Structure formats: C-alpha cells, structure tokens
Amino acid sequence: MSRSLRARTSINYADMFQQEDGDDETPAPYEFDADTGSEFELAVQKDGGNEGDEEEDGYDAMDDVSDDAPLDSEDIFEPIEFSTSKISNKSSKKPTTTTNTSKSNAGRTSLIKPVGASLPRSSKRQIANHRHRAVPLFSKNNIKIERITEKPKLFRPYASIPTNNFTANTKIVDRLSKAWAFNVGPGPIWELVEDRAWFKESRGPDSTNFLSDANARPLVYPNIRCRGQLQPLNPEDAAPYLPREASNDEGAFRPPAPVPCSFGPINKQDRRDMIMLESFPLSEYLPELHHTHVFNPGAPVWGLDWCPIHPSEQPKRLFKQYLAVGPLTSSNQAPEIGVRVNRPTRACIQIWSLSRSQSAFPSSSVAENQSPDSSRMKCELVLCHEAGPAMELKWCPLPCHDRIDQTAEGRIRKLGLLGGTFQDGSFCVFVVPEPEDVRQPEHDITQPIYLKLSEPILRIQLDETECFAFDWGNSEIICIGTTHGTLAIYHLGATFNGLDDDDVTTVIDDLLPTHYLNVHQAAIRAVTWIRAPPSGPDGSSRFDRDPTVVCTGGYDGMACITDIREGHGSVINRTRDVINAMIYGPYVSGPITIDHENIVKAYSASPSMLGRGHLLLEPQGPIWSIHASDYHPQIAVGSADGSCYTSNSLRSTRRGGSVAEYRMLDRFLPQETPDRPTASKQTKKSQNTQVEVVSTGVWSQEVGIQRVVWNQGNGPVHSIDALWGRFLGDRIPYNDVESMREDGAVGDYGCGFWV
C-alpha cells in the first residue's frame, strides 16, 4: 500500500522582503539582508539615481568608480558605540501585505536578532550588492591640517600648506574617497597624503585652527632616562647574544653561514654571499632603485618597527631614521606557543639606521663620490638582553626621544621607548639610548656598537599564561594578548609620568591590569586598537579619552572585536586557519586581517556596517604580516611564498564605461598533472624526456616574508623602498587637489610618494 506524503505548505519568500511598489503600510514580520556577497551581481539603483551622472563641477569619470551613492550627512560620521542594539525605523520603502499584519507602523523592529547583542547594524544601505565606501569613525570638524605641495625628496624638508581635513564636510569625504580609488600604482599618491591618526596626547590646533604634525604627534615622557649602567661589549663578548649556528659540545658559538642570493635583472643576475649585519643598496644591480636597501640580520625576524622622530628634530638629525629588528637566535629555531624559556636566555635587538651616505660616513672617502640624495643603511646598535628572542617589537607610537641639542655631563640621551613580547613570556619596555652617546672614541664608525642592556623600565609577567602579542593604543595604554586567549589592558601613563628625572634604577614589575578579559579559546596571535575616540553621553567624540575598542585574531580562527567597557568580545569572522596578522586601517575605518584561502579582508568598524567585510588581496601563499599606514590607504602584506604585496585598500571594484572592442582567446592546450612515480620511470627509460615540475603550494621557510611595516612616525617622507602611485590615465580627479579639498592654495603637483 502506497503511503501518501503530507502536502508541503508553500511559502512566498518574496513577501518577507520590503517591496518598493507595495501599497500596504503593514510591516512584514521578518527582515532579511538581500546582500549575497557576490561580486558579480548588479548593484541596486536608488530611485531617481544614475551612476553615470556627472557632478556639476567634477570630473566626469569619477562616477564610474563610485561604490556608493553620495553619503548623507547623518551617515558620514558614526562614532564607535557598541553598548546598545538599535535597528533603524527609517525606511523609504513600503512593505507588502503579509499574513501576520499589524495596525501600527511605528517602531518597526526585526524579529531576527542581529549578530551579536551589542553590535547594531542599522544602515538601510547595506542591501546594495557592492563594496561600501569607508565611513569615518569620527570628525575633526573644521580643523586645518598639513598638505604637501611639491614632490618630496628623502632626507630633505618638504613644503606644506594648511588645507581642509578629510572630514571637513561630506563633499570632501566623497571626493577624496573617489580620488583615492583612481590610484593604480604600487605606492600612494603624495598629493592626497593626510595623517588620519588620532592620539589623545595631541596638543590640538592653534589660534588659526591649524593642527600641525608637530602638535598632532607631540613629544612625551621627557622625564624618563636611560636605565642603569649600560655595559659596552666587544664582538667576542657579544657573540653569544647574536644569531648563530647550533652550538657544539664544547659550547663554542659559530656565526651563521653567509646567505647566498642572486640580484639584478632576471637574465643577468649576480650571486652575492651576505654575511650577518651586512647591507648594501640594491641600486648596485638595479640603478633605478635609488633608496632600496637589502640587509641581513642573521636570522628570521619576528619583530620590526620604525622609531618615530618628532618633526622639529628631523632636520637637526639630518633626517636620519632608525629601525628596530628582533631576530631569532638561529635560522632553525621554531618557537613553541605556550612554552616559555627560562631567564636568562641570551638574545639581541638590532637598531639599524637609514641616512645620507655623508652623514653615515662623514670622514669616508667613499662618501665623496655619492650624490646628495644617496642613502646608506647600517647596523648602529646591537642591544644584548636576556629575555629571549622577541616575538613582537613596537616603539611607543609617539616620539619619546630626547632633543638632539640637549646635552648634560654624564647623561645619556634616549632614542625612544621600545616595547616587546619575548620568549620568556614577558612584556618589557626598554629605554633605547642614543647611538652617538654610547659610541666610544676609539670605536670604528663602520661597525655596530654592542651594548649590554640593564633591566627594562617595565616588565609584565603573568604566572598563568604568557604575553604573546600586544599593541599601543597611545603612549599611555597597551593591550596584551596572551597564549590562553585573554586580553590584559594596562595604563602606563600615571606610572611613567610619576618617575623622577634622576631615577635610573627603578624597574616596574608590579603593575596590575585594569581589564582582564577572556575573549579567545586559544592563543591570541594579533592585537590592534581601533584608534578612534569614544563617544560622550551627547554623542560627541571625547578626544581627551583613551580608545576603548580592540580587535584580535587567534589560533582558534576567530577575529573578534571587543569594547573593554562591556567586558566581552564579539566575533566578526571565523575561519579554519590561524589569524597571524591584524592591523587597524584609518582609511578603511576598521581592522584588516586574513580569511580562508589566504585572502586579505577589511572589515568596517562603523556601527551601521559593523562586521561587513570585503576582499582586498589574494596572495599566493599563507600570510605572515599585514601593515597599514596612517598617511595613506596602501597596505603592505608579507606572504610565505616570498612576496611582499602592496594594494590600494580604497580601490573600486566596479568601473563603468563602454567597451568598444572585444577579444576572444581560444585553442588552449589541456593541462594534466603528471603522476610523479610514472614520470620518474619514463625519465629513466628516456633521458631526453623532460618532466614538468608542478607547484605543490608549499614553500621553504627561508623564503617567507615574516614582517612588513610602514614608516609612519617620521612624517610623510620615508622608507627603505621607494614606491610611487599614479592616477588612472595620469589624470587628476576633479582637475586638482584644491577642488577636492575645497581650498584655494596653488601648488606644483606630480604623482609619487615615498613609502
């Protein structure tokens, strides 16, 4: 006997959406997001809108790259506030009639709870199937900022004029966002460079409402001095602290073997064996790369960061820049997560400098043949310590150095405060001395200075876990991610500011965290602050307060955003991979991190689009490092396949215009993956047969790019490598930069920027 099946109840899913042509005012009981995330779907057009319309005084090609309709004034500035779950009741669309009707249309609320009880997603514009333009998290109102007016040159002062900041009004926001989308070069465009960072220590604008870079990033902690007795070492005594080969039975240390590497054009490369602490300009093989340098620290580098220098001090120092490098103890070392080494464990931190050739070797005859803009990179200092290799290194984001003309008998000036997590499980802050003050009169200027560091000024060590990743929120607050998945927040300002000017012996090791939050289920690998001011009760930005939002990524594959005022984290993405890198991008207004299949994604931190992400880049291998700059939207990505990528995080995903000519490609030969054992047997039978080598997707650990970092603490002109950006078609959008920023200044414009 056949069994009759129950009749299926038909559900009209279209009735669950709001239809523009509906006549009934009754709200629907459900509200869905129509965004499928597909990059190939057509965008939903607004009534009365046309993407091809030209602005009345703009560049007619700008609308071709418009990713969104012009931003409304109420949608431009959205301060970070995660404490409530609000759903907007504003809607210009009329819902259709459903079986469950309601007589009232006021206070319409979705019956589906948004992701995360405290993560509001109230924007009605998120149903469009396209990439959303970044929404500024806060407004600087009508403050004037610096803008470069001529092509910058390394080691030289740059000319600047006051101009409107990015958030002066909605028109400037819209125009600059579109203009950045036209950058098709590997680096940023210097005409559009702007410091979008925020620090509560900023001194604010002057009487003319102008905020200079010197006031935006002031000097901090002038009372802190170098700690204890700094012990100079000779190369023999410093050898146990340097990267080395495995020790033999007698305990003698051998330096690492030279690294053989080929340089030059692909068909005319020359092999060069680089010894430890050696550097050379790449222009020796590629003349067009004037300021590109290659150096060998001796082992894989896990810590890398540029030292910030105050703008007023840069000319006095001849625009010399410093880079902190934290290598492992040997090339075959594999740090184990959650396993701390016993202190003392010898390791080092290297301080490299980038300067003019004349300033690096003032008495050298080699410098006489160099051009005025030629540069030199050398290892200035090797700081020997006993906390184990550095897992991560970051300078205090604001300049902490002493003034170069500040001299006192017997007093060693400091270069800055360098924080790091180390393999002994601790977080330490070291006071790095000025290299010129610790150089002995008889020391060879071409050789590095070896210096034994005393105790750090601050040491944080937790009994139940290890400090693994960290980030500075500003000069006074840090966030530490541990191997147990907890976040520890420490306020350093009151402690550091309370130190006496003559105190050189105190080691702070009893500081307690203000917050201790369990966020991840595994070790936290990446930590970054959302550097945006919190909101006051009236909704205004509190620029005198510390940031409160932290983004983290861990070995559990989760990317979380945490407001430390709430006491718990919220998951914004989950992937079946380790999240090795995460950085806050001021230009994308949110964190930039990795997702499945080795892709780089940017997520929005604005309340209206919180957690919504879009793809930026897809490298060919696993990602080790991501870094973003405060001055431009270009991101740098280091991958295990040995590549360093740069990409424009504000580029457009769609471009309009008509296609006048087509081309079709055909007659491709089929590709087959050969069976390796069978191919080997054939090779033995016939020596003339060539077996094609098929990539396996696995790369040697020696070729991976472990760390990448932008130089963003020395003004807008910097770095080892020179990358230039250019506008699409070499046409400046809106005719000139003055039209973008709505000011009347006149300058000499070109395309390019030092990065």
Side-chain angles (χ1 to χ4, degrees):
M1 179 177 179
S2 62
R3 183 179 61 177
S4 61
L5 299 179
R6 173 168 55 105
R8 180 186 177 189
T9 303
S10 177
I11 300 177
N12 188 357
Y13 291 98
D15 292 341
M16 297 183 181
F17 292 91
Q18 298 180 2
Q19 303 294 336
E20 292 186 359
D21 56 352
D23 297 327
D24 196 325
E25 297 292 335
T26 305
Y30 297 95
E31 180 179 341
F32 292 92
D33 187 2
D35 187 2
T36 63
S38 174
E39 296 288 348
F40 301 96
E41 294 187 7
L42 296 177
V44 178
Q45 295 289 335
K46 290 189 176 182
D47 293 339
N50 187 356
E51 284 189 298
D53 293 342
E54 180 180 347
E55 290 195 19
E56 55 184 2
D57 58 345
Y59 174 44
D60 57 353
M62 293 309 301
D63 291 316
D64 294 342
V65 298
S66 176
D67 294 335
D68 205 348
L71 299 177
D72 300 328
S73 59
E74 65 270 14
D75 294 333
I76 289 295
F77 312 119
E78 304 186 61
I80 296 183
E81 190 67 46
F82 300 142
S83 57
T84 58
S85 296
K86 299 184 293 183
I87 300 181
S88 175
N89 58 2
K90 298 180 181 179
S91 178
S92 59
K93 302 178 181 180
K94 298 180 181 180
T96 58
T97 304
T98 59
T99 55
N100 297 330
T101 61
S102 175
K103 301 300 181 182
S104 174
N105 192 36
R108 183 176 183 276
T109 305
S110 171
L111 298 182
I112 296 181
K113 190 175 182 181
V115 180
S118 61
L119 306 181
R121 294 173 62 177
S122 58
S123 175
K124 59 181 177 292
R125 296 141 64 90
Q126 58 187 346
I127 64 172
N129 297 322
H130 55 72
R131 176 183 295 178
H132 291 270
R133 188 174 302 132
V135 179
L137 299 180
F138 61 94
S139 171
K140 294 183 179 180
N141 301 321
N142 295 321
I143 293 178
K144 299 286 186 178
I145 60 169
E146 290 189 20
R147 176 170 66 84
I148 301 176
T149 58
E150 61 183 14
K151 182 184 296 186
K153 295 182 179 180
L154 198 61
F155 310 127
R156 293 187 181 182
Y158 58 90
S160 64
I161 59 173
T163 187
N164 293 322
N165 74 83
F166 172 66
T167 59
N169 57 58
T170 58
K171 194 172 185 179
I172 296 179
V173 172
D174 192 53
R175 286 188 169 188
L176 286 180
S177 298
K178 292 179 180 179
W180 272 115
F182 267 80
N183 180 22
V184 294
I189 298 173
W190 63 263
E191 293 97 330
L192 305 182
V193 165
E194 174 183 348
D195 187 2
R196 296 191 185 178
W198 161 77
F199 298 99
K200 76 169 188 178
E201 297 88 343
S202 172
R203 296 177 180 176
D206 57 17
S207 58
T208 61
N209 208 29
F210 171 65
L211 180 62
S212 64
D213 287 346
N215 288 335
R217 298 172 181 258
L219 280 168
V220 295
Y221 301 131
N223 59 306
I224 294 181
R225 295 183 54 186
C226 291
R227 319 304 293 170
Q229 298 295 329
L230 299 177
Q231 179 184 355
L233 301 176
N234 56 45
E236 292 75 18
D237 295 336
Y241 297 88
L242 298 176
R244 55 195 179 274
E245 296 291 343
S247 59
N248 53 26
D249 296 338
E250 288 76 16
F253 291 90
R254 299 189 302 268
V259 177
C261 188
S262 298
F263 300 93
I266 188 64
N267 297 324
K268 299 179 180 179
Q269 289 193 326
D270 296 330
R271 169 171 168 163
R272 182 165 183 165
D273 294 334
M274 296 190 63
I275 63 175
M276 183 174 60
L277 304 182
E278 179 189 359
S279 66
F280 69 92
L282 201 56
S283 59
E284 294 181 7
Y285 302 93
L286 300 172
E288 66 275 11
L289 302 179
H290 303 292
H291 297 292
T292 303
H293 296 267
V294 180
F295 64 98
N296 179 19
V301 173
W302 278 46
L304 189 71
D305 199 20
W306 289 94
C307 177
I309 303 295
H310 194 262
S312 64
E313 292 290 305
Q314 294 176 16
K316 302 176 183 178
R317 296 172 178 264
L318 301 179
F319 299 95
K320 195 174 186 178
Q321 303 170 18
Y322 296 93
L323 179 69
V325 180
L328 299 180
T329 56
S330 64
S331 58
N332 57 1
Q333 181 185 5
E336 298 183 25
I337 309 303
V339 178
R340 69 178 69 189
V341 299
N342 297 324
R343 196 168 52 242
T345 298
R346 295 172 176 177
C348 73
I349 299 173
Q350 303 170 10
I351 306 297
W352 291 73
S353 67
L354 177 67
S355 61
R356 293 179 184 174
S357 295
Q358 290 87 342
S359 62
F361 301 98
S363 60
S364 175
S365 60
V366 179
E368 298 177 358
N369 299 325
Q370 302 290 341
S371 64
D373 292 330
S374 61
S375 57
R376 173 84 180 190
M377 190 170 189
K378 66 183 292 284
C379 183
E380 296 274 357
L381 273 176
V382 176
L383 304 175
C384 304
H385 63 91
E386 298 178 344
M391 300 290 97
E392 192 163 15
L393 290 177
K394 291 181 181 179
W395 295 89
C396 176
L398 295 179
C400 307
H401 55 80
D402 293 331
R403 299 188 181 275
I404 199 66
D405 53 3
Q406 179 182 350
T407 58
E409 185 66 26
R411 178 167 180 172
I412 299 177
R413 295 168 297 182
K414 68 177 182 296
L415 181 62
L417 299 181
L418 181 61
T421 53
F422 298 89
Q423 205 171 351
D424 66 347
S426 66
F427 167 81
C428 299
V429 176
F430 288 99
V431 183
V432 179
E434 189 73 39
E436 297 297 330
D437 291 357
V438 294
R439 179 178 286 113
Q440 301 297 323
E442 65 279 2
H443 183 77
D444 185 2
I445 195 173
T446 62
Q447 298 299 319
I449 303 170
Y450 301 98
L451 198 66
K452 175 68 179 301
L453 281 179
S454 59
E455 291 294 319
I457 188 175
L458 171 68
R459 176 180 286 123
I460 295 175
Q461 195 156 10
L462 304 173
D463 295 336
E464 69 279 6
T465 184
E466 299 177 30
C467 302
F468 194 25
F470 81 101
D471 190 29
W472 298 83
N474 48 45
S475 65
E476 298 184 357
I477 186 172
I478 60 170
C479 177
I480 300 176
T482 69
T483 55
H484 282 188
T486 55
L487 285 178
I489 311 296
Y490 291 86
H491 285 265
L492 312 179
T495 303
F496 281 0
N497 288 320
L499 294 175
D500 295 333
D501 184 68
D502 297 330
D503 188 356
V504 296
T505 58
T506 300
V507 178
I508 304 169
D509 56 4
D510 56 353
L511 191 64
L512 297 178
T514 59
H515 300 77
Y516 196 72
L517 311 175
N518 190 5
V519 177
H520 289 263
Q521 300 176 358
I524 297 176
R525 184 66 183 90
V527 175
T528 183
W529 284 92
I530 300 295
R531 291 178 180 168
S535 300
D538 58 350
S540 61
S541 298
R542 297 297 303 272
F543 293 100
D544 59 337
R545 300 289 183 87
D546 291 315
T548 61
V549 181
V550 182
C551 292
T552 54
Y555 278 79
D556 54 0
M558 294 193 304
C560 299
I561 185 169
T562 304
D563 191 327
I564 61 177
R565 297 170 298 183
E566 292 189 346
H568 64 86
S570 300
V571 179
I572 59 176
N573 187 49
R574 187 189 299 269
T575 181
R576 295 181 178 179
D577 202 352
V578 177
I579 299 180
N580 290 313
M582 180 179 291
I583 192 69
Y584 168 65
Y587 278 75
V588 299
S589 301
I592 303 173
T593 184
I594 64 177
D595 202 353
H596 63 281
E597 299 298 331
N598 306 325
I599 64 176
V600 180
K601 293 186 70 174
Y603 294 90
S604 176
S606 61
S608 62
M609 295 184 294
L610 185 63
R612 298 183 65 87
H614 57 265
L615 185 146
L616 296 180
L617 186 66
E618 189 171 359
Q620 298 300 313
I623 299 168
W624 278 113
S625 180
I626 303 174
H627 204 260
S629 175
D630 294 337
Y631 290 90
H632 54 77
Q634 298 292 120
I635 61 171
V637 179
S639 174
D641 66 347
S643 301
C644 178
Y645 302 87
T646 61
S647 179
N648 182 9
S649 60
L650 295 184
R651 76 182 188 276
S652 174
T653 57
R654 297 183 295 110
R655 297 192 181 277
S658 60
V659 179
E661 182 178 351
Y662 299 87
R663 177 176 62 176
M664 179 174 289
L665 302 179
D666 204 344
R667 304 182 69 178
F668 289 99
L669 296 177
Q671 294 184 355
E672 179 183 3
T673 303
D675 183 66
R676 292 184 181 274
T678 304
S680 301
K681 293 179 181 179
Q682 284 185 342
T683 305
K684 294 180 179 179
K685 294 180 180 180
S686 175
Q687 298 297 331
N688 297 328
T689 304
Q690 294 183 357
V691 180
E692 181 182 0
V693 179
V694 180
S695 175
T696 62
V698 179
W699 295 270
S700 173
Q701 63 179 2
E702 287 81 5
V703 303
I705 305 297
Q706 187 71 35
R707 277 289 185 269
V708 292
V709 61
W710 292 100
N711 187 348
Q712 56 188 11
N714 294 283
V717 184
H718 39 247
S719 179
I720 296 179
D721 203 351
L723 303 179
W724 298 88
R726 65 179 182 88
F727 288 116
L728 179 66
D730 293 329
R731 300 177 62 187
I732 298 180
Y734 301 104
N735 300 323
D736 51 32
V737 181
E738 289 85 354
S739 299
M740 298 180 200
R741 296 190 179 271
E742 296 188 343
D743 57 40
V746 178
D748 177 21
Y749 303 110
C751 296
F753 184 71
W754 294 108
V755 297

